[in-house]
Every structure is written in C-alpha cells, then in structure tokens.
Amino acid sequence: MDIKNIQKNAKQKSAEFTFTPPPEAPVFEPTAEEFLDPLSYIAKIRPVAEKTGICKIKPPSRWQPPFSLDVDKLKFVPRIQKVNELEAITRLKLLFLEKILKFWDLQGSPLKIPMIENKTLDLYCLKFWVDEEGGFENCNTPKKWRKIANSMGYSQNTSTMNFLRSNYEKILLPYEIFEKSKADILKTVKKTETKTESKVGEPGKLMFKEVSVESITKVKDESEVKEEKLSKSIKKTKTGSDITIEIDLTKSNLENEVLKRNRELRRLACYGPGPKMPGLNDEEFDITKSRKRPRYDLDPLAIYICAICQKDHRDDLLLICNGCQDTYHTFCLKPPLTAVPDGDWRCPCCIAAEVHKPAEAFGFAQAEREYTLQQFGEMADKFKSEYFSISGHLVPTNVAEKEFWRIISSVEEDVTVEYGADLHSMDHGSGFPTKSSLNLYPGDQEYVDSGWNLNNLPVLEGSVLRFINADISGMTVPWMYVGMCFSAFCWHNEDHWSYSINYLHWGEAKTWYGVPGSGAELLENAMKAAAPDLFKTQPDLLHQLVTIMNPNILMAAGVPIYRTDQQAGEFVITFPRAYHAGFNQGYNFAEAVNFAPPDWLPIGRECITHYKKLKRFCVFSHDELICKMALEGDRLDLDTALQTQKELMRATQEEGSFRGKLADKGIKNVRRTAFELLGDDERLCEICKTTCFLSSVSCSECKHMACLQHAEVMCECKWEKKTLYYRYDMDELHIMVQTIDFRVNSFDKWMTDAKTLLLPTAPDIGRLQKLKNLIDEADELKLPKCKLFHQLKEEYTKTTENTEPIVIELDDD
C-alpha cells in the first residue's frame, strides 16, 4: 500500500473505532527434559517462532520459582501515562487542535469545539479530507461534502454536510488563509524599533528622539488625559523631536542599562522631558498586565502607524497587539477582521511565533509520589474496578483489550495511568532467587541455578553477551515492571536487535503484539506514512518507546502482526529486530532481560550498520565483542566459534580496505591505543555516533574524531594533521583469524569423529582406545564441555565397566 492510501486508511480507522484482534502467536510447552537447556530449546523453536516475532513459552507445571523480592521494602516512583497521547494519530489530532485553539485564543476569540452526532467535531480529519478533495475552494458541490462526511464516519444528510462546510469556513478557513499568507505578512510588516544614536566622542551617552508636544495637532485637555491614563497601555511611534534625554552610563554596563531602561525611556517620551505623571506606576502602565484591549484605547500623545500599510489614518480601526504592542488596521489583516475582538489580541507575527513554536519531544513524566508494591496494587485494583464497575479480575481480557484501543484512538478520552517501568534489579533486587537472596529454602537452589532464571540466561554458555564485561542494566541485568490496567509499552525493538525474554511473576495478564524482524521496515514505513508530521519533528521517534499505533491500521498497510496474552508464570520471547508493543490487563509484576545466542551475531552487525545511518548511539562496540570472543576461543562452542570466525573475517577485510584507502590519501601518523580503556563518549565517531574499537582517525587541528568510514568527511584539515589510531595492526588481525580458523577446523573434526564413534553401527575393534583418545583431545584442545563430550565420557565409562569382567575371566583361565 502506498503512502497516501496508508494515510487515508489511518484517518478512516480513527474516525469510527473498530478493533479486530490480530492472529495468535505460537505457544510452546517444552517437556521437562527440553526445559533443561534454554538456549537449545529456543534454537529449536526459532524456525517457527521468528516468523511471528514473538512467542509464548509455558514451563512444565512443576517449575514454579518463588518470588524473592521483599514486598515491603521495594519502593518506586512510576511513570505517568496519558493513554490517548500514546497513539500516533491521536497525538497528531491533539497537537493540531492545540494549534487551532491557540490561533483563535490569541486573537481574542476563544474557540469552543462544536459537537456533531454526540461527538466532538474532528477538525484534524476534516482538514485532511477537505485537502484530499483539493481544498475548500474546490469543495463546491454536495457530492464532495457527502464524500467527506462518509470518510469521517458521519451520516450523509444535508444538515451534516452543511454543518461540516460552515464550521470549516468559520474555524479552519481563517487558519488556512493565515498559514498561506503568513510569509507575505511577515515580509510586509515593518516592526517599529526605538532608534538610538551615540554622540561622537561620547560613547557613554545615548540620545533618544522624543515626540514633540507641538507636533501633535489634537491634544485633549489635562483632565481628559488624567481620566484615561490609568487604563491605557499602548505602543508609541515617535516622530521628529528636538528634545533629548541624556543618561550617563559606564562602558562596562552600557548594554545592560540600555536593555533595562529602554522601555522606561519610551514611556517618558509621550510626556516630554518632565517626570512621569504621579500615580502612573509600572504595573498599571505595563501592556502585559492589561487584559482588555478596546479599539479606542489610543494615547492622544502618540501617533499610531499600521505595521502593514504604514499609514496612521482610521484610528478607530487600529488594534494594538498584546504581545509586541505593534498596531494594525483590522482591514489590513489576512483574513481581515470584520469586528474588533473583545479580549486580548495578538498580531500575525506573534500568532505565527506562538502557533509554530516547536513542540517539545514527547515523553513520560514521573509521578509525584513513591509507592510500595502494596500501595501501588491498591491504587491499581481500585482504578480497574471503578473503571469497569465490576471486580477487576472478572473483566475478560478481550473486553479490556477492546477498551484499551478505544481509549487510545479517542481525542475526548482523558484516562491517565501509572507504570512502574524499567526498575533496575541492581538497585531493587530480582524477583528470581539469586545467590545473594536472603532466607533461601532448600528447594530454592534449583531456581537459583536454573538457566531460565533471567539473572543467568544472558551469561549462559552459548550466549555471546557473557563476553561483555560491563553489567548493562536492562540488557545483561534484568529490569522489572509493575503494571496496572491500561499501562502500556509502545512499539520498539530491542537494543542491537537482540533477543529478549519476559517472565510474568504474578498478577493479571499482559497483552502483547509482535511483528517479525522481516516486517520491521514495513512497520516503520507504515507508521511514518500514517503520521508523517510526528516523524518530521522527531525522526528517531520509534527509538523513544513513546508511540503506539492501532494494530489494525498497521495490518491494513500490510504489516504482519500477532498477539498473545501472557499469564502469570509464563515467558514471552521476542526475536531479533521484532517490533513489539502491548499493555497490562491489571496489576502485575514482570521481569525482562536481553540475550544473544550465536545466530544473533550477523544480525548484530547489520544493526550497527543501521545505527550508523540513523546516527544512533550503540550500547556496546560490536567489533570489541567479536575480538574478545576470538581471543577467548577456548570458551567457544562450535556454533559460536563458527559465527565468530565469519564475523572476524568480515571485520578484518573491511578494516584492511579502509586503512588502505587512508594510506592512499597520505595519512602518515599512526599510533596504537587501547580503545577498551576509553569511555564510550571518548571514542565516538562525530559523524555516525558509532563506538570505535578497531580504529579511528583524529585531527590535531580541529580536535575532531571519526571512524574510518567517515574519516574523509569529518573535517577539511590537511592529512598531515590527522592520526590513525588502531587497536591491532593488520598482521595481528590476520593471526586472530587464523587462530579461530584452526580452532573451528579442529572442533569440527573432533565432533565428526565423536558422532561417528557413537553411532550404533560403529565397529567395536579399538573402540575403547578411540573413546579415550577423543576425550584426551578435547582436554588438549580446551574444547568446551558440550553435550557430545559428556556422551563420550558416559560411553567410555560404560565400555570400561563391560571390559573389566572379561579381563578378569581371562586371568582366571
């Protein structure tokens, strides 16, 4: 589906709410034996599960880890979520509505949004569909307004069509005209400024031109001036005067004094050289304090000039801007005003500045109070039971799901919830029992050591994240989540496109939606097409975890989406690059962490390339991880060694190519450095923001640094000023490749021989000696003690036991 059709479909879906649940993601139930090895089991289900992006795993019924957190001691401050602001299109509608309300309010005409068919008129969609028909001028037939009404989900009778047309003309057309003529108005307007002159030879004195009293032709008598002066605050335009006011200022504070006194001097101007009139204090005279601005509020001693036509006639139709205090004729404005506003009024320049003020990046505020688990649970349960008017646990999951997406898509709904998200287990402890847990029972040790314990999974043998020395919170160290009804997690995929695993310790269900990694770009493109204005202001919006979109809108755009309800005691796995989102059905407690089996390595490198294009920061250096794994080859199993070999070979070839190009450019300064000892912020490429490890280029002239890919564009300084910093020279990298090659080949040969020897058809002659030789070879090569190695040892022990009785019998004979 093309961009325009995606936009149209999104607006139609948002006009009349419907929700069709996506198809279910697969559910797996491992046997007790399969459950013993988490990474092997996940690798086994991967061909099926990665096609849906997410899957659910139900552990064997006897696997029930105790909840190990002290519920009385855990305290946290949750995030505040305004539910409908999470949705991309609803947020666009709210932002547009804010602009329209501000546009009218600044002109002294506060707007009340009209109602149609018991709903607030959707001004955002009204404008969109009118634009689709070629604009208001082209919507000149009932047929077009009938089509617009139909697209917006309204009835298509004459009164509805007239209602839409009249409200567009009344509310949106003036805004539209203003937007189109804004640039011309800003060019036409001549902002008045106080002119200052400095006498030659007297830099500390300023000369201000003042209004000459004699030049005013119509002056009211003193009693009239006194009568009106307390209620009038105006912008003065000064004309020819011989009166000067001199102020001694020291050179050091000249600028500050000018800014400070400029306004005061302009006030003095209209009264000549004498002091301010008694009783006229600053507050009464300050235009920003005045609320009502009638059209006749003109000072008799000032000459008013329209900022557009530059003429001073028709004082009765001059308006004074409450913002900048410039004056405008009502008939010079575009569109012209037919009547003088009763309230405060702003000029086109001030309106443009205010209406188009850049929106702040959307994010979640922190709640003002701290909760214990019990306090949060009481609040969460009360909210859900009051919202649905029945006990919270009696609300079916499909009912809560439909209600969530209804709230999400409504501009009118104002539902606010709280979410205890991203609670660090390093700070609060883990829900799983660990070696440091207090009051462990004898049966708890099984769960302390279990591979499914999320504190263990990232660092299991076979997980590449165990080679990262640092504890990366949320990635290698679990985060915890305390949810309530409608609290949500928005569309995102994991850092470095790694796997993730989530365990729901207890509480009500968590509803998930997932997109397979193969559909990641489809989702990104669909969301950008449906809400382009959001991504213009925040291109990295999907990395901020603050935006959700109705799965039905995405599915209509061709994005494959699957759902699942995670119950207490169940795992949900997300696969590499799989986007996922969801919400909590009620009060619950979950824990999550990332992990990365060897099949992730090529995906991880692809992710780094993607991050470079987006100029997104890395969590860790992929090259550093690969080199560390290659240097610790004796800790690698065959699958990990094979993937490491491929990755290191690719990195070495790429590095050699870049270094060769730089040598051709004439770079001469070369120096070794230990990048791993530098902080990440000290080894960032200034162009793509990647974390350098194998090499970088720095310039001594401008102090810039870049990866080799961007060395040529980082600055225009001469190459003599640049230095190539490297971690390993090319010979060392080639030796590392050869070492891992040898290890892979040795491991591969050993595994082939071992599998052959364990076959039932293997000959018995010399079998015992061959078993012993393979076990010794494994020790000599420092091969990991994999499943095959343990099978060999068992077979050797069994064969030895069978051989001994035979030897004893021969000795007796």
Side-chain angles (χ1 to χ4, degrees), residues 356-385:
H356 295 282
K357 190 182 291 182
E360 292 182 9
F362 181 77
F364 301 129
Q366 293 293 106
E368 294 182 357
R369 66 164 291 187
E370 184 179 61
Y371 288 90
T372 63
L373 272 178
Q374 182 178 346
Q375 290 168 338
F376 190 86
E378 289 170 354
M379 178 274 295
D381 289 340
K382 182 182 178 185
F383 168 85
K384 186 175 182 181
S385 59

Coordinates of all heavy atoms in Angstrom, one line a residue, residues 356-385:
H356 N 3.5 28.2 15.9 CA 4.5 27.3 15.3 C 5.7 27.2 16.2 O 6.8 26.8 15.7 CB 4.9 27.9 13.9 CG 3.8 27.9 12.9 ND1 3.4 26.7 12.3 CD2 3.0 28.8 12.5 CE1 2.4 27.0 11.5 NE2 2.1 28.3 11.6
K357 N 5.5 27.4 17.5 CA 6.6 27.2 18.4 C 6.9 25.7 18.4 O 5.9 24.9 18.5 CB 6.2 27.6 19.8 CG 7.3 27.6 20.8 CD 6.8 28.0 22.2 CE 6.4 29.5 22.2 NZ 5.9 29.9 23.5
P358 N 8.1 25.2 18.2 CA 8.4 23.8 18.1 C 7.9 23.0 19.4 O 8.1 23.5 20.5 CB 9.9 23.7 18.1 CG 10.4 25.1 17.6 CD 9.3 26.0 18.1
A359 N 7.2 21.9 19.1 CA 6.7 21.1 20.2 C 7.8 20.4 20.9 O 8.8 20.0 20.3 CB 5.6 20.1 19.7
E360 N 7.7 20.3 22.2 CA 8.7 19.6 23.0 C 8.6 18.1 22.6 O 7.5 17.6 22.3 CB 8.5 19.8 24.5 CG 8.7 21.2 24.9 CD 8.6 21.3 26.4 OE1 8.4 20.3 27.1 OE2 8.6 22.5 26.9
A361 N 9.8 17.4 22.7 CA 9.8 16.0 22.4 C 8.9 15.3 23.4 O 8.9 15.5 24.6 CB 11.2 15.4 22.5
F362 N 8.0 14.4 22.9 CA 7.1 13.7 23.8 C 7.8 12.7 24.7 O 8.7 12.0 24.2 CB 6.0 13.0 22.9 CG 4.9 12.3 23.7 CD1 3.9 13.1 24.3 CD2 5.0 11.0 23.9 CE1 3.0 12.4 25.1 CE2 4.0 10.3 24.7 CZ 3.0 11.1 25.3
G363 N 7.4 12.6 25.9 CA 7.9 11.7 26.9 C 7.0 11.5 28.1 O 6.0 12.2 28.2
F364 N 7.4 10.7 29.0 CA 6.6 10.4 30.2 C 7.2 11.2 31.4 O 8.4 11.1 31.6 CB 6.6 8.9 30.5 CG 6.1 8.0 29.4 CD1 6.8 7.0 28.9 CD2 4.9 8.4 28.8 CE1 6.3 6.2 27.9 CE2 4.4 7.6 27.7 CZ 5.1 6.5 27.3
A365 N 6.3 11.8 32.1 CA 6.7 12.4 33.4 C 6.7 11.4 34.5 O 6.0 10.4 34.4 CB 5.7 13.6 33.7
Q366 N 7.4 11.7 35.5 CA 7.5 10.8 36.7 C 6.3 11.3 37.6 O 6.0 12.4 37.7 CB 8.8 11.0 37.4 CG 10.0 10.4 36.6 CD 9.9 8.9 36.5 OE1 9.6 8.4 35.4 NE2 10.2 8.2 37.5
A367 N 5.7 10.3 38.3 CA 4.7 10.6 39.3 C 5.3 11.4 40.5 O 6.5 11.3 40.7 CB 4.1 9.3 39.8
E368 N 4.5 12.0 41.2 CA 4.9 12.9 42.3 C 5.1 12.1 43.6 O 5.7 12.6 44.6 CB 4.0 14.0 42.5 CG 4.0 15.0 41.4 CD 3.0 16.2 41.7 OE1 2.4 16.2 42.7 OE2 3.0 17.1 40.8
R369 N 4.6 10.8 43.6 CA 4.7 10.1 44.9 C 5.4 8.8 44.7 O 5.5 8.3 43.5 CB 3.3 9.8 45.5 CG 2.4 8.9 44.6 CD 1.2 8.4 45.5 NE 1.7 7.5 46.5 CZ 0.8 6.8 47.3 NH1 -0.5 7.0 47.1 NH2 1.3 5.9 48.2
E370 N 5.9 8.2 45.7 CA 6.6 7.0 45.7 C 5.7 5.9 46.3 O 4.9 6.2 47.2 CB 7.9 7.1 46.6 CG 8.8 5.8 46.6 CD 10.0 6.0 47.5 OE1 9.8 6.2 48.7 OE2 11.1 5.9 46.9
Y371 N 5.7 4.7 45.7 CA 4.8 3.7 46.1 C 5.6 2.5 46.7 O 6.7 2.2 46.2 CB 4.0 3.1 44.9 CG 2.9 4.0 44.4 CD1 3.2 5.0 43.4 CD2 1.6 4.0 44.8 CE1 2.2 5.8 42.8 CE2 0.6 4.8 44.3 CZ 0.9 5.7 43.3 OH 0.0 6.5 42.8
T372 N 4.9 1.7 47.6 CA 5.4 0.4 47.9 C 4.5 -0.5 46.9 O 3.5 0.0 46.3 CB 5.1 0.0 49.3 OG1 3.7 0.0 49.5 CG2 5.8 0.9 50.3
L373 N 4.9 -1.8 46.8 CA 4.1 -2.7 46.0 C 2.6 -2.8 46.4 O 1.7 -2.7 45.6 CB 4.7 -4.1 46.0 CG 5.8 -4.4 44.9 CD1 6.3 -5.8 45.1 CD2 5.2 -4.2 43.5
Q374 N 2.4 -2.8 47.7 CA 1.1 -2.9 48.3 C 0.3 -1.6 47.9 O -0.9 -1.7 47.5 CB 1.1 -3.1 49.8 CG -0.3 -3.2 50.4 CD -0.3 -3.5 51.9 OE1 0.7 -3.8 52.4 NE2 -1.4 -3.4 52.5
Q375 N 0.9 -0.5 48.1 CA 0.2 0.8 47.8 C -0.2 0.9 46.3 O -1.3 1.3 46.0 CB 1.0 2.0 48.2 CG 1.2 2.2 49.7 CD 2.3 3.2 50.1 OE1 3.2 3.4 49.3 NE2 2.2 3.7 51.3
F376 N 0.8 0.5 45.5 CA 0.5 0.6 44.0 C -0.6 -0.4 43.7 O -1.5 -0.1 42.9 CB 1.8 0.2 43.3 CG 1.7 0.5 41.8 CD1 1.9 1.8 41.3 CD2 1.3 -0.5 40.9 CE1 1.8 2.0 39.9 CE2 1.2 -0.3 39.5 CZ 1.5 1.0 39.0
G377 N -0.6 -1.6 44.3 CA -1.6 -2.6 44.0 C -3.0 -2.1 44.4 O -4.0 -2.4 43.7
E378 N -3.1 -1.5 45.5 CA -4.4 -1.0 46.0 C -4.9 0.1 45.0 O -6.1 0.1 44.7 CB -4.3 -0.4 47.4 CG -4.0 -1.5 48.5 CD -3.6 -0.9 49.8 OE1 -3.4 0.3 49.9 OE2 -3.5 -1.7 50.8
M379 N -4.0 1.0 44.6 CA -4.4 2.0 43.7 C -4.8 1.4 42.3 O -5.9 1.8 41.8 CB -3.2 3.0 43.5 CG -3.5 4.1 42.5 SD -3.2 3.7 40.7 CE -1.4 3.4 40.8
A380 N -4.1 0.4 41.8 CA -4.3 -0.2 40.5 C -5.6 -1.0 40.6 O -6.4 -0.9 39.6 CB -3.2 -1.1 40.2
D381 N -5.9 -1.8 41.6 CA -7.1 -2.6 41.7 C -8.3 -1.7 41.8 O -9.4 -1.9 41.2 CB -7.0 -3.5 42.9 CG -6.1 -4.6 42.7 OD1 -5.7 -4.9 41.6 OD2 -5.6 -5.2 43.7
K382 N -8.2 -0.6 42.6 CA -9.3 0.4 42.7 C -9.7 1.0 41.4 O -10.8 1.2 41.0 CB -9.0 1.4 43.8 CG -10.1 2.4 44.0 CD -9.6 3.5 45.0 CE -10.7 4.5 45.2 NZ -10.3 5.7 46.1
F383 N -8.6 1.4 40.6 CA -8.8 2.1 39.3 C -9.6 1.1 38.4 O -10.6 1.5 37.8 CB -7.5 2.4 38.7 CG -7.6 2.8 37.3 CD1 -7.9 4.1 36.9 CD2 -7.4 1.9 36.2 CE1 -8.0 4.5 35.5 CE2 -7.5 2.2 34.9 CZ -7.8 3.5 34.6
K384 N -9.2 -0.1 38.3 CA -9.8 -1.0 37.3 C -11.2 -1.4 37.7 O -12.1 -1.4 36.9 CB -9.0 -2.3 37.2 CG -9.5 -3.2 36.1 CD -8.6 -4.5 35.9 CE -9.2 -5.3 34.7 NZ -8.4 -6.5 34.5
S385 N -11.5 -1.6 39.0 CA -12.8 -2.0 39.4 C -13.8 -0.8 39.3 O -14.9 -1.0 38.9 CB -12.8 -2.5 40.9 OG -12.3 -1.5 41.8

